[in-house]
Amino acid sequence: MVNCCGLVSEKNQPVPLKSISVELQVRDHVASVSSCLQYVNEEERPLEAVFVFPLPADAAVCHFSARIGEQEIVAEVQDKQSARDQYDDAVSSGQQAFLLEESEESSDVFKLSVGCLSPGQKASITIVYIIELSVQADDALRFCLPAVLNPRYTPAVSAAGVPEVSSASVIPYTLSLSVEVRSSDRISKLESSCPLDPLEFLDAQHTHAKVNLSSGHRFDKDVELFLYYENSHHPSAVVEAGASVAESGSLMGDPALMISLYPEFPADVMSSLASQGEFIFVVDRSGSMGCKMHHGNDAQMRIESARDTLLLLLKSLPMGCYFNIYGFGSRFESFFPQSVVYSEDTMEEALKRVKSMRADMGGTEILQPLKHIYSQPCYPDHPRQLFIFTDGEVWNTKEVLDLVKSHVYSHRCFSFGIGEGASTALITGMAREGSGHAQFITGTDRMQPKVMQSLRFALQPAVDNISVDWSVPEGVTVDMLSPSINTLFQGQRALIYAQIKGQSSGQTEGSVTLKYRLKDQPVTNQLQFTLKPAEDTGLTIHRLAARSVIRSLELQERAGGADMENIRRRIVELSVQAGVSSAHTAFIGVNKDSKQTVKGPLLQRRVPVARMMGAFGGPGMNKCGMAPRMMRRSPMQCDIQSNRMRMECDSVSFKRMAPRMMRRSPMQAEPQKDPLLQLISLQKAAGCWELNASLAAVFGKTEDQVTNQKAVQVDGSVWATVLALIWLYAFKSDQQVEWQFVAMKSASWIRSQKPNGLSQCVCDGNALLGCQVTEDMLGI
């Protein structure tokens, strides 16, 4: 039975959320978001409410205040444990208190403890956060206000006895949204998934504009905004004045600089595919990978589909690149101690090991293999491309995503969720933080076409050799606050933060020179920036710069070492100084002026939110990237329980599968029934095929039938490779996305042989196979 509840009372009354008001202020590529939420306690008893909600990745909360009646509480950032102690003391003594802190497991989930509200009392809570706007494929900057405040309900009770809710009916509330944009570039347009009032330009240069969400929006879907600039690929440098009350020489007291670098990849560059790179394939071998892909009679086991996919990938790699394959579960192993050069010998060795891969490694522990991979040095001129396949979830998602993010400028991460149980937070998060692409293989989906699509993305060229050089007057220095950038891929933008220190007696401008290389072509951009910025531009850039430094320190802390306490102290100091949240701080506000003593037992109520999935989507998600409205336990509860269930599932699957798997020989376990996979398995690393009985069997011919049709002057391997290409284009055109790279290698190999009589060879091949494929179609 579906009940109407939310911040539920004993009578299942709706969530006491009455209105939401949002103000969005955009500056170039970053934004400040102010949200005001109006609550009322409709209970007959005092109420302690807990509201768990997601923020976008890399958002930094920088303001938190609450108004109760005529009194306003403005919270301050404190050490997290100290803030918790103050909150507990205030609530237990009957005072109103408010606490905002990051979830222990995920930096993009915050818990808002509303505290003690007397019966009938109203509370207005304001949260301000700052964020880097994400770049879309069409160069738009995207902002998303998730519809997390429109839950539908199915009550359940958590381990702590706190009623939790998911989705079912509309909550009575109102929503307003206003947007103001200031930019160094001309604003082209602003679009939305929801109705907007007309865009109003506030200056003749079209660099300042505002717009409002049209009235009457029900907030039944995410509010997405897409901002377009006229010259989105032009680098920019924006300087923001420091806070007048902050100490000179400190991050918040000195001017802060933000550089945007969003290289343009011309069409001719994107049409070419790289022949270099390091490709690392990381495959889940936990027990549940022994389950079927779907419930149909012809369904493969997940591990079997993964083996077929690895065959395709290994045959599609370019000669001379580097590669390695990892399997992981409760432990991990790699085929080679480190990535090796792709050749016929290394490919064959890897294929032998792929055939013996089983779902026999227990649970799902992905952090350690990733640490091992990132500890290996990258190869110069071979950008690292990571492909991760998993059907489960992990308990330490935040730590995994932080690790991927810390190496974002040295690699790309492509992730694949297999089956309905794959964690969308993990899959989409790894792709987002690794500037790659996420794919989900569910139902009757085939894994191979989705993986090969991602391989095409990985083979496209990248920007490398990136350098940043400063030219400033005497007495002025520039300190880089962002980690160094090694590589940028198509569609990836970098925001670089720096602190300008010191004073110049005369000059008021500096310059920065950005250099990089795109497909062996050097590119240079020089940008001018002021050393005396206007004083009234806010502190958005400063706070995002502080967040960048804090995140780097948090990564150092999680990596371990001797200086842990000093790192933690620096995190707290910078968090408090900048007024932005961190893993070790929280916002705390206590209303000590309240004259009224709160009496009666406290009721604790939890406001649910939908789980935020990011921009890539996933199973069961709507077009705005949100999952179906679901109930959220506390993050730790949810992770512990799901991980426990996962381990039990893996253990049972392995015990059930192991005896059967051990009875089989490797060849029996890997029957090649698909003719396409049979053909591809016979291809050599260089791209050619040998003329033999196995190849003839794929065509439905005998070896003699195939050999007798060969012209005398044509080499056997050339003839075999032409036949393979004709067969692919004639009989497997609907699966071209899967064999496109195999065919490209083959065509390239044939051209390198410069054979005589190639046109006649194609005609003879068509006659043998009963086809009509042209030489141009084959690309030879």
Side-chain angles (χ1 to χ4, degrees), residues 75-387:
E76 60 183 32
V77 180
Q78 293 186 7
D79 177 270
K80 181 175 284 188
Q81 191 55 52
S82 173
R84 285 176 177 170
D85 292 343
Q86 285 193 49
Y87 173 79
D88 291 341
D89 291 344
V91 171
S92 62
S93 63
Q95 295 177 326
Q96 282 109 349
F98 298 81
L99 180 70
L100 181 73
E101 60 183 330
E102 286 188 9
S103 159
E104 298 284 357
E105 292 75 41
S106 180
S107 62
D108 59 356
V109 176
F110 280 76
K111 289 195 304 180
L112 171 60
S113 297
V114 177
C116 186
L117 296 180
S118 300
Q121 194 165 39
K122 297 179 180 179
S124 173
I125 295 172
T126 300
I127 303 167
V128 180
Y129 65 88
I130 48 182
I131 182 175
E132 299 177 353
L133 298 175
S134 61
V135 181
Q136 304 302 291
D138 62 353
D139 302 330
L141 297 179
R142 176 181 180 266
F143 168 76
C144 179
L145 182 66
V148 298
L149 302 178
N150 178 21
R152 298 169 185 261
Y153 325 108
T154 307
V157 178
S158 70
V162 180
E164 294 184 328
V165 292
S166 61
S167 318
S169 69
V170 179
I171 295 173
Y173 63 88
T174 59
L175 167 69
S176 65
L177 170 66
S178 64
V179 183
E180 184 177 5
V181 182
R182 294 178 185 269
S183 173
S184 54
D185 190 7
R186 284 176 63 89
I187 301 164
S188 175
K189 59 182 176 179
L190 197 154
E191 298 178 344
S192 176
S193 60
C194 303
L196 297 176
D197 292 343
L199 182 66
E200 180 183 352
F201 288 102
L202 303 178
D203 67 349
Q205 294 76 34
H206 284 201
T207 59
H208 187 194
K210 68 177 183 179
V211 70
N212 294 321
L213 183 69
S214 298
S215 59
H217 177 61
R218 293 174 60 86
F219 210 11
D220 55 349
K221 62 180 179 180
D222 298 352
V223 177
E224 290 182 295
L225 298 175
F226 299 96
L227 174 61
Y228 296 83
Y229 292 135
E230 285 194 2
N231 302 293
S232 56
H233 288 286
H234 289 188
S236 64
V238 181
V239 180
E240 185 178 79
S244 57
V245 296
E247 180 182 352
S248 178
S250 68
L251 172 56
M252 299 306 292
D254 287 339
L257 174 66
M258 177 183 72
I259 298 171
S260 69
L261 178 58
Y262 180 43
E264 184 171 12
F265 287 68
D268 61 323
V269 171
M270 295 309 296
S271 63
S272 64
L273 296 175
S275 59
Q276 296 174 307
E278 180 190 14
F279 301 89
I280 302 177
F281 308 111
V282 184
V283 182
D284 188 343
R285 290 177 54 186
S286 60
S288 59
M289 285 289 286
C291 299
K292 289 189 173 184
M293 290 290 292
H294 55 87
H295 299 300
N297 294 330
D298 59 343
Q300 276 189 306
M301 299 298 180
R302 293 171 182 174
I303 193 67
E304 291 173 351
S305 184
R307 288 197 298 259
D308 289 348
T309 303
L310 286 173
L311 166 65
L312 268 179
L313 286 166
L314 286 171
K315 294 291 185 175
S316 300
L317 294 179
M319 289 291 286
C321 72
Y322 289 80
F323 80 101
N324 203 350
I325 298 176
Y326 283 70
F328 73 94
S330 301
R331 57 185 177 85
F332 73 91
E333 62 184 28
S334 60
F335 283 16
F336 307 100
Q338 60 188 42
S339 295
V340 295
V341 175
Y342 179 75
S343 65
E344 183 66 28
D345 290 341
T346 55
M347 182 195 75
E348 287 298 332
E349 182 179 348
L351 284 172
K352 288 178 182 177
R353 297 194 62 174
V354 165
K355 289 181 180 180
S356 65
M357 287 179 68
R358 302 286 180 266
D360 57 0
M361 296 184 74
T364 307
E365 298 289 341
I366 198 172
L367 185 64
Q368 293 309 314
L370 287 179
K371 284 184 175 180
H372 186 267
I373 290 167
Y374 292 137
S375 71
Q376 304 281 334
C378 294
Y379 292 93
D381 301 321
H382 288 271
R384 178 171 286 171
Q385 314 279 3
L386 198 57
F387 288 68

Side-chain angles (χ1 to χ4, degrees), residues 30-51:
V30 299
S32 172
V33 186
S34 176
S35 299
C36 182
L37 300 96
Q38 305 283 345
Y39 290 95
V40 63
N41 179 11
E42 296 175 345
E43 308 263 0
E44 296 178 356
R45 300 184 187 182
L47 173 73
E48 183 187 4
V50 180
F51 181 49

